[in-house]
Amino acid sequence: MTEHRLEGLRLYDTMTGAVRDFTPVRPGHASIYLCGATVQGLPHIGHVRSGVAFDVLRRWLTAKGYDVAFIRNVTDIDDKILNKAADAGRPWWEWAATFERAFTAAYDALGVLPPSAEPRATGHITQMVEVIEKLIERGHAYAANGDVYFDVLSLPDYGKLSGHRIDDVHQGEGVATGKRDPRDFTLWKGAKPGEPSWPTPWGRGRPGWHTECVAMCQEYLGSEFDIHAGGMDLIFPHHENETAQANACGDEFARFWLHNGWVTMGGEKMSKSLGNVLAIPAVLQRVRAAELRYYLGSAHYRSMLEFSENSLQDAAKAYTGIEEFLHRVRTRVGAVEVGTWTEKFAAALDDDLAVPAALAEVHAARADGNRALDAGDHTGAMEAASSIRAMMGILGCDPLDERWETRDETSAALNAVDALVQWALKSRTEARENRDWAAADAIRDQLKLAGIEVTDTADGPQWALTDGA
């Protein structure tokens, strides 16, 4: 295996707006907090991109020799959870637990390593109350009518993470009569009829979103830790308000802030308007889990990943090409052990996790290996295959890892179904272009009878197997 080399990693820090050398709080130890799911509904591919992106970071830190503590929280109490559970006539705790399991299944399906700990917000009410009490004592927070608010103007450098000017701050919380200033944000919400609540010095109530992660970061990683990660949509207000509270408590908090880009469709952030078409189970009906993992991790983590069916299938073909080469070597030469990644691969990941450049090394090794295999150079082919296994293992989708050995009849059947459905959808599109609505509807109805649901999107028709299929 490659010799460990702790130094060399450089990461883009949102706080400073620059790529900086990674120097941990404790030598040889890396501490990471990732803002996890608010478990209000089924996860789609946009939700789990951060899980895949920062799983690569964790794997690379571990490969470099760091002892990694990786915390990923679960927000299991939230306005959206309460409202959706009420609309469905279900207990809020059951609703949250149901979709927490769905997120866990999605992470597991994509080979995301389990976190060192996965704390739930509702399990840390005591710690949240302690944070709020400290903020009140220090003059940074105040209680009003059973609610508690953070006094934004009490912190001179508020806005340092997001770059927001104080005059432009809008918390998006709506009107609250107890606020001294509309820019203040909620730490604790007074109890309302029918909602869950916990006892506090200010009366019963439930936590505000921004306080949850502060308390859990302190509990598991201490007053200063290495990396706080999450989606770019969390920079403001969530992460801005986290660092404000922590700093107001006297904590250094995170040394680095890392934020991943969105999965977009038509240039817009992926939303729930697409229904189940891009939910993880639906996408896994069209490509294998390793192929989806490859796709979600193939772009630079800070870039937007524009989804299209073509790009998904292109990624699946690229992964399959790597897989087929490894199988050729295993069949013609022998068992392929995990070898050593290339220097260019390591340099790419050390450069703010430049996965596209790292993947270019993988495909260069595959091309060299195929040429060696065709020329009868079994030693060269085996060296290339072993190196590919090492590199793909860091990216979390080594095709010869036992969890991804899925070249079975089910996969073959799904590929065949996809080819037939794409042919039918092409015929339907041609019928619609010719204004032959009867023929287009007949194709759609026939697909529905076969257990295939078609959804028309800006990116073209998408398909998924229905629950009854």
Side-chain angles (χ1 to χ4, degrees):
M1 182 56 66
T2 300
E3 180 182 354
H4 293 158
R5 185 171 62 90
L6 293 179
E7 74 280 357
L9 178 61
R10 292 171 56 79
L11 297 170
Y12 180 87
D13 174 28
T14 303
M15 180 75 78
T16 60
V19 176
R20 301 194 290 116
D21 291 335
F22 176 70
T23 304
V25 175
R26 290 168 47 199
H29 179 85
S31 49
I32 304 172
Y33 185 94
L34 172 62
C35 274
T38 298
V39 286
Q40 57 172 304
L42 287 173
H44 58 58
I45 61 174
H47 290 134
V48 299
R49 186 187 179 194
S50 67
V52 171
F54 297 117
D55 186 59
V56 173
L57 171 63
R58 179 186 184 180
R59 289 170 183 267
W60 184 232
L61 285 167
T62 300
K64 286 172 72 69
Y66 285 96
D67 175 24
V68 181
F70 191 96
I71 310 300
R72 186 183 68 215
N73 77 296
V74 174
T75 296
D76 60 343
I77 184 73
D78 174 85
D79 289 345
K80 294 177 181 178
I81 293 171
L82 296 178
N83 292 337
K84 290 185 177 183
D87 290 344
R90 308 302 304 171
W92 69 271
W93 49 265
E94 180 198 51
W95 191 266
T98 298
F99 294 109
E100 180 181 345
R101 289 193 296 273
F103 270 87
T104 298
Y107 290 132
D108 290 346
L110 297 185
V112 174
L113 297 171
S116 306
E118 193 167 23
R120 297 184 183 93
T122 55
H124 297 78
I125 301 296
T126 299
Q127 291 89 338
M128 294 179 213
V129 171
E130 290 173 350
V131 169
I132 296 171
E133 286 181 321
K134 193 170 187 179
L135 291 171
I136 292 175
E137 290 170 3
R138 288 173 166 247
H140 293 290
Y142 57 92
N145 306 321
D147 299 325
V148 183
Y149 301 102
F150 185 91
D151 182 355
V152 167
L153 295 180
S154 72
L155 201 67
D157 60 356
Y158 182 85
K160 65 180 180 179
L161 176 64
S162 63
H164 275 55
R165 293 166 52 89
I166 192 65
D167 292 339
D168 298 330
V169 167
H170 298 281
Q171 299 291 351
E173 294 184 349
V175 178
T177 56
K179 283 188 180 183
R180 296 174 184 170
D181 189 299
R183 292 167 292 192
D184 295 345
F185 60 87
T186 304
L187 304 177
W188 189 262
K189 300 182 178 185
K192 295 179 181 178
E195 289 189 354
S197 63
W198 290 262
T200 75
W202 322 286
R204 296 189 68 87
R206 60 184 175 89
W209 180 33
H210 308 307
T211 306
E212 297 174 1
C213 288
V214 176
M216 289 183 279
C217 284
Q218 292 176 339
E219 178 72 10
Y220 293 91
L221 299 178
S223 61
E224 184 180 15
F225 57 98
D226 297 316
I227 297 170
H228 196 313
M232 63 179 294
D233 52 320
L234 299 180
I235 297 174
F236 187 88
H238 187 49
H239 287 169
E240 186 71 68
N241 291 346
E242 277 189 53
T243 194
Q245 292 172 80
N247 294 164
C249 284
D251 292 352
E252 292 293 330
F253 214 49
R255 284 196 172 187
F256 283 79
W257 289 87
L258 272 61
H259 293 97
N260 64 277
W262 296 333
V263 176
T264 59
M265 196 166 187
E268 299 292 333
K269 180 185 176 186
M270 188 163 291
S271 68
K272 294 181 177 61
S273 62
L274 294 172
N276 290 332
V277 171
L278 294 177
I280 300 300
V283 179
L284 292 180
Q285 294 169 358
R286 309 203 293 278
V287 294
R288 292 175 295 162
E291 294 166 345
L292 178 56
R293 160 113 193 187
Y294 179 96
Y295 170 66
L296 291 176
S298 60
H300 192 283
Y301 77 95
R302 287 196 287 121
S303 68
M304 299 298 185
L305 178 61
E306 175 69 9
F307 176 83
S308 71
E309 195 66 33
N310 286 339
S311 63
L312 177 65
Q313 295 300 331
D314 286 345
K317 290 176 183 176
Y319 176 84
T320 300
I322 297 168
E323 180 183 44
E324 289 177 347
F325 166 68
L326 294 178
H327 279 269
R328 286 181 69 200
V329 174
R330 187 169 66 179
T331 299
R332 294 174 59 177
V333 184
V336 180
E337 301 298 328
V338 177
T340 301
W341 51 79
T342 70
E343 291 184 4
K344 288 184 178 180
F345 177 88
L349 290 190
D350 275 346
D351 182 18
D352 193 33
L353 300 180
V355 171
L359 279 173
E361 272 298 283
V362 172
H363 289 287
R366 178 177 68 93
D368 290 343
N370 272 321
R371 283 192 291 269
L373 198 60
D374 292 341
D377 178 6
H378 288 182
T379 299
M382 181 60 77
E383 288 177 354
S386 297
S387 178
I388 286 172
R389 286 206 65 187
M391 294 186 285
M392 290 294 282
I394 298 298
L395 301 179
C397 46
D398 169 16
L400 296 188
D401 187 288
E402 61 182 10
R403 72 163 293 122
W404 301 126
E405 286 275 26
T406 58
R407 293 167 64 89
D408 54 22
E409 293 181 2
T410 299
S411 299
L414 286 175
N415 289 335
V417 169
D418 179 66
L420 292 171
V421 172
Q422 294 300 335
W423 175 81
L425 291 178
K426 182 180 179 181
S427 299
R428 177 174 174 267
T429 298
E430 292 173 351
R432 286 162 64 91
E433 290 173 350
N434 294 328
R435 305 182 69 82
D436 188 350
W437 310 118
D441 289 345
I443 294 171
R444 181 169 186 156
D445 291 345
Q446 191 61 44
L447 289 172
K448 189 173 183 179
L449 286 174
I452 296 167
E453 181 179 1
V454 177
T455 301
D456 292 307
T457 75
D459 194 52
Q462 309 293 324
W463 71 271
L465 296 177
T466 60
D467 292 339

